[in-house]
Amino acid sequence: DPSYYLSFGMYQEINMFSTYPKDFTDVFFNGDDQDGDGIPETIDDGVVYGSEHMNTVGELVGVFHIGLNKKLNEKWTLGARFKLLSGSIGIETKKNKGNYYLSELQPPFEPYLHNFEDVDVVLNTSGLLDPFDLSSVVGDPDEVIAAMFFVGGNMGAALDLGFTHHLNEDWELTGSLLDLGLVNYSQKLSEIELFDDLISSET
């Protein structure tokens, strides 16, 4: 039936979303001396760096898909695609909190104190670390590749929907709704958490 179009195949994709962690990026590149005048800024200058901007979600996924398009008439075409997902690597850090700031002690010592206050930073991973054998390779290449091809990966499914409407010979309107689904991450799960009410170190 020429009004139907069947397609299938496999591909790999990398998805990532991240906010820009401006505070800690500034500290990483400029240290505590943000204006470059040789004098570090302290909490007395009103300079406090927050970790709440550190929000990142990413994944490496293998996708097997099968789709079907249907030409309803000369103006309308509808399509749907079903996808089986094999999650190889997943990382997530979000809902972090806590502040870092520099402070000074009184003379005659005059050292600086690096303070981490109300810190709670969590990194969740899947497919990177073996929680039962931390001496193993991080993200073993053989396992990462195999997991993209449904061997030991994290299983999931998704659906794509779309349409095309031919307005006239020169114009057409298209729309799609992609990746309605989920991946159940259950393989090689690890959680790394840094937390404390107040950590200080002298320099």
Side-chain angles (χ1 to χ4, degrees), residues 32 100-104 111-117 198-203:
D32 291 295
Y100 161 75
Y101 58 88
L102 198 66
S103 61
E104 294 183 86
Y112 289 106
L113 281 178
H114 299 273
N115 302 280
F116 297 86
E117 186 177 51
L198 180 61
I199 307 172
S200 299
S201 62
E202 296 183 14
T203 58

Side-chain angles (χ1 to χ4, degrees), residues 72-113:
L72 300 179
N73 51 47
E74 294 302 318
K75 288 188 175 293
W76 286 96
T77 300
L78 301 180
R81 182 165 64 169
F82 177 73
K83 300 189 287 191
L84 290 175
L85 310 176
S86 182
S88 178
I89 293 176
I91 60 171
E92 175 189 82
T93 177
K94 60 183 183 180
K95 296 181 180 178
N96 298 306
K97 67 176 184 177
N99 297 315
Y100 161 75
Y101 58 88
L102 198 66
S103 61
E104 294 183 86
L105 290 181
Q106 297 298 317
F109 305 102
E110 297 186 6
Y112 289 106
L113 281 178

Side-chain angles (χ1 to χ4, degrees), residues 9-179:
M10 188 171 183
Y11 62 91
Q12 287 73 45
E13 67 180 26
I14 297 175
N15 303 309
M16 179 165 283
F17 168 81
S18 179
T19 57
Y20 177 62
K22 182 180 183 304
D23 283 11
F24 282 109
T25 301
D26 289 345
V27 172
F28 179 81
F29 286 107
N30 302 313
D32 291 295
D33 183 13
Q34 294 293 309
D35 56 13
D37 64 356
I39 302 174
E41 289 84 22
T42 68
I43 190 172
D44 294 331
D45 302 312
V47 178
V48 178
Y49 305 95
S51 61
E52 66 273 5
H53 301 297
M54 298 173 58
N55 295 288
T56 300
V57 178
E59 61 183 0
L60 175 62
V61 181
V63 182
F64 174 78
H65 63 91
I66 181 167
L68 187 67
N69 283 8
K70 167 65 174 175
K71 185 177 180 181
L72 300 179
N73 51 47
E74 294 302 318
K75 288 188 175 293
W76 286 96
T77 300
L78 301 180
R81 182 165 64 169
F82 177 73
K83 300 189 287 191
L84 290 175
L85 310 176
S86 182
S88 178
I89 293 176
I91 60 171
E92 175 189 82
T93 177
K94 60 183 183 180
K95 296 181 180 178
N96 298 306
K97 67 176 184 177
N99 297 315
Y100 161 75
Y101 58 88
L102 198 66
S103 61
E104 294 183 86
L105 290 181
Q106 297 298 317
F109 305 102
E110 297 186 6
Y112 289 106
L113 281 178
H114 299 273
N115 302 280
F116 297 86
E117 186 177 51
D118 297 325
V119 172
D120 191 358
V121 177
V122 179
L123 173 65
N124 295 310
T125 71
S126 174
L128 283 178
L129 297 171
D130 187 341
F132 301 105
D133 183 11
L134 295 179
S135 65
S136 62
V137 177
V138 175
D140 182 87
D142 293 339
E143 293 183 1
V144 170
I145 293 173
M148 288 191 294
F149 291 91
F150 300 89
V151 180
N154 304 280
M155 297 295 104
L159 184 68
D160 295 344
L161 301 172
F163 73 90
T164 300
H165 178 52
H166 298 277
L167 299 174
N168 52 49
E169 293 183 356
D170 300 317
W171 292 90
E172 67 179 25
L173 178 66
T174 64
S176 60
L177 195 58
L178 304 178
D179 292 323

